[in-house]
């Protein structure tokens, strides 16, 4: 009913016979027939019309009888079984979680479907308030760089610092400087101590891939609270963020339990190592692979700022990494050309 109402207003006020004052007349008529009705002023009706016009090209069908909300039975079903009326990039259950005021901001600040989809997803997952959303929308680079699944926006109260933190980390690292033969005797082996050692041996190359402003504090960094003594795989200090950064290596697929271990490290760092002028410590789980949705759900309830990234070695680097590198024949040609020049 509501969608049909918006479609009716759009079609007639834009190209119908009502004229330019139609929206004002509709608002006044609604107020007259239903005294005390709120939310249907002229400006709000115009925003509703814009909302409908911007999203209608992507709607394949309207949810029967629901008008922008899913029934409780739909929400309880497996998400894979829900037929979303949007394209693959936009999850309808996330779309309807986002308040209308947030949608208005997103439509006003972003023009592409991809960017709008990104911010709708982040609003639903991170539970941004209107002011947080506005800060992130004003940061032009955020949607293109904040691919690392994290809880920075909820765990870091300073929105600008949360944005800077999201920018500081990549979601994928190519550790092509590691010799796979040194790391694994068998293809199915997992060797985190050796991985740690090889990264430390090549720490300069690792930092170049990790990001900017990182200073290496040391491997197997000892922290202790009470009788509990733990060792952080890699500890850094980031000069841009003014905080300690703990990296936990997992030569395996991400598991939610990894975050509990990392949260303990961050508490220990904040209570025993962090200086008064420094920002709270940040943690990164660096693992073989992950399900991004699982990470987003798992990290949501933690109060310590954490994110999850994956690493690739030369042998298993994804296509986007390898296609920018010359193949063996190409490398041979480059080397031969260099010899000829000499």
């Amino acid at each position: 009913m509501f969608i049909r109402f918006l479609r009716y207003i759009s079609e007639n006020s834009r190209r119908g016979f009502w004229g330019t004052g139609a929206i004002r007349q509709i608002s006044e008529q609604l107020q007259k027939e239903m005294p005390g009705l709120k939310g249907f002023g002229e400006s709000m009706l115009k925003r509703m019309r814009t909302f409908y016009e911007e999203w209608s090209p992507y709607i394949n069908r309207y949810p029967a009888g629901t008008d922008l909300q899913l029934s409780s039975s739909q929400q309880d079903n497996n998400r894979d079984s829900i037929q979303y009326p949007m394209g693959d990039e936009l999850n309808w259950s996330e779309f309807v979680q986002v308040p209308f005021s947030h949608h208005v901001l997103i439509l006003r600040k972003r023009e592409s479907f991809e960017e709008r989809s990104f911010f709708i997803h982040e609003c639903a997952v991170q539970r941004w308030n209107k002011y947080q959303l506005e800060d992130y929308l004003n940061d032009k680079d955020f949607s293109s760089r904040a691919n690392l699944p994290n809880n920075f926006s909820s765990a870091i109260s300073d929105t600008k610092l949360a944005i800077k933190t999201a920018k500081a980390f990549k979601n994928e690292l190519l550790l092509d400087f590691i010799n796979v033969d040194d790391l694994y005797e068998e293809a199915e082996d997992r060797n985190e101590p050796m991985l740690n050692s090889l990264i430390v041996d090549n720490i300069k190359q690792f930092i170049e891939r990790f990001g900017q402003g990182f200073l290496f504090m040391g491997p197997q960094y000892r922290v202790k609270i009470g009788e509990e003594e733990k060792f952080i795989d890699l500890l850094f200090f980031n000069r841009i963020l003014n905080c300690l950064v703990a990296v936990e290596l997992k030569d395996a697929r991400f598991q939610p339990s990894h975050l509990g271990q990392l949260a303990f490290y961050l508490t220990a760092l904040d209570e025993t190592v962090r200086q008064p002028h420094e920002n709270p410590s940040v943690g990164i789980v660096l693992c073989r692979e992950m399900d991004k949705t699982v990470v987003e759900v798992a990290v949501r309830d933690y109060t310590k700022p954490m994110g999850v990234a994956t690493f690739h070695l030369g042998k298993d680097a994804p296509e986007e990494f390898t296609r920018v590198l010359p193949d063996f024949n190409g490398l041979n040609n480059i080397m031969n050309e260099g010899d000829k020049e000499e």
Side-chain angles (χ1 to χ4, degrees):
M1 183 72 177
F2 182 64
I3 291 293
R4 289 198 294 271
F5 169 69
L6 295 182
R7 179 168 52 190
Y8 184 73
I9 288 179
S10 173
E11 291 176 351
N12 288 279
S13 64
R14 293 294 193 191
R15 55 181 182 275
F17 54 86
W18 291 357
T20 56
I23 296 293
R24 184 184 306 112
Q25 293 175 21
I26 293 172
S27 175
E28 292 173 353
Q29 188 66 25
L30 286 171
Q31 298 293 335
K32 181 179 179 181
E33 294 184 5
M34 291 177 280
L37 179 68
K38 296 181 179 180
F40 286 87
E42 180 182 358
S43 60
M44 182 58 71
L45 285 177
K46 288 181 178 179
R47 293 185 191 122
M48 292 179 181
R49 179 178 63 181
T50 300
F51 173 86
Y52 168 77
E53 291 174 348
E54 292 295 325
W55 287 115
S56 60
Y58 303 100
I59 297 175
N60 299 321
R61 64 172 180 84
Y62 302 118
T66 58
D67 279 340
L68 294 182
Q69 66 179 5
L70 295 174
S71 67
S72 58
S73 60
Q74 281 179 308
Q75 291 173 347
D76 291 338
N77 288 338
N78 187 309
R79 287 192 174 191
D80 292 338
S81 66
I82 298 175
Q83 309 237 336
Y84 304 122
M86 296 293 180
D88 291 339
E89 300 89 346
L90 190 62
N91 184 315
W92 176 255
S93 66
E94 292 178 349
F95 186 89
V96 298
Q97 290 176 42
V98 177
F100 182 71
S101 59
H102 289 47
H103 278 290
V104 171
L105 274 174
I106 293 170
L107 290 175
R108 186 186 304 157
K109 297 277 190 176
R110 290 293 186 269
E111 296 183 359
S112 73
F113 176 79
E114 291 74 21
E115 284 196 300
R116 289 172 176 177
S117 301
F118 169 82
F119 281 102
I120 287 171
H121 171 75
E122 291 299 306
C123 280
V125 171
Q126 307 288 0
R127 293 181 170 85
W128 289 339
N129 61 39
K130 182 178 178 181
Y131 304 103
Q132 287 176 310
L133 171 62
E134 193 158 19
D135 280 334
Y136 285 108
L137 284 167
N138 288 335
D139 186 82
K140 299 299 184 183
D141 296 329
F142 180 75
S143 61
S144 63
R145 299 177 68 172
N147 294 320
L148 178 85
N150 63 77
N151 67 347
F152 298 149
S153 62
S154 60
I156 300 175
S157 57
D158 184 332
T159 304
K160 290 183 172 59
L161 179 59
I163 293 174
K164 287 170 65 177
T165 305
K167 288 182 177 183
F169 301 101
K170 302 173 183 177
N171 67 326
E172 291 182 301
L173 275 69
L174 177 60
L175 307 184
D176 55 341
F177 54 83
I178 291 180
N179 187 330
V180 179
D181 294 334
D182 292 339
L183 187 57
Y184 306 116
E185 291 183 4
E186 301 292 339
E188 66 275 8
D189 282 352
R190 291 292 180 262
N191 194 338
E192 287 165 9
M194 181 59 72
L195 176 62
N196 189 301
S197 177
L198 291 171
I199 288 176
V200 172
D201 289 344
N202 299 273
I203 194 63
K204 181 180 179 180
Q205 292 94 319
F206 179 83
I207 290 177
E208 287 174 351
R209 288 153 179 78
F210 197 39
Q212 294 183 341
F214 287 96
L215 302 175
F216 187 45
M217 301 287 289
Q220 297 299 306
Y221 195 93
R222 176 180 174 272
V223 290
K224 184 178 181 181
I225 292 185
E227 298 303 317
E228 287 288 327
E229 184 180 70
K230 300 292 183 181
F231 296 87
I232 301 172
D233 288 335
L234 302 167
L235 182 65
F236 298 88
F237 185 83
N238 188 278
R239 297 176 61 196
I240 298 171
L241 304 178
N242 189 32
C243 73
L244 295 163
V245 177
V247 177
E248 182 66 9
L249 297 173
K250 295 296 178 183
D251 194 9
R253 187 177 179 82
F254 169 81
Q255 298 297 326
S257 59
H258 297 160
L259 296 175
Q261 183 180 24
L262 186 58
F264 176 86
Y265 294 162
L266 296 180
T267 298
L269 286 171
D270 286 341
E271 294 189 6
T272 64
V273 181
R274 179 169 71 101
Q275 297 297 308
H277 65 278
E278 295 173 357
N279 292 315
S281 304
V282 173
I284 300 294
V285 174
L286 185 58
C287 57
R288 270 289 189 163
E289 55 183 323
M290 65 173 161
D291 183 320
K292 190 174 181 180
T293 302
V294 171
V295 175
E296 289 170 344
V297 171
V299 79
R300 184 184 299 167
D301 294 328
Y302 283 90
T303 57
K304 294 294 184 181
M306 296 185 287
V308 178
T310 57
F311 71 88
H312 303 280
L313 305 176
K315 68 167 187 175
D316 60 2
E319 183 182 351
E320 57 265 31
F321 286 122
T322 57
R323 68 187 174 194
V324 300
L325 301 173
D327 58 19
F328 180 77
N329 291 330
L331 192 58
N332 253 342
N333 292 336
I334 292 171
M335 294 176 67
N336 289 335
E337 287 174 4
D339 291 341
K340 289 177 182 177
E341 291 176 0
E342 293 176 359

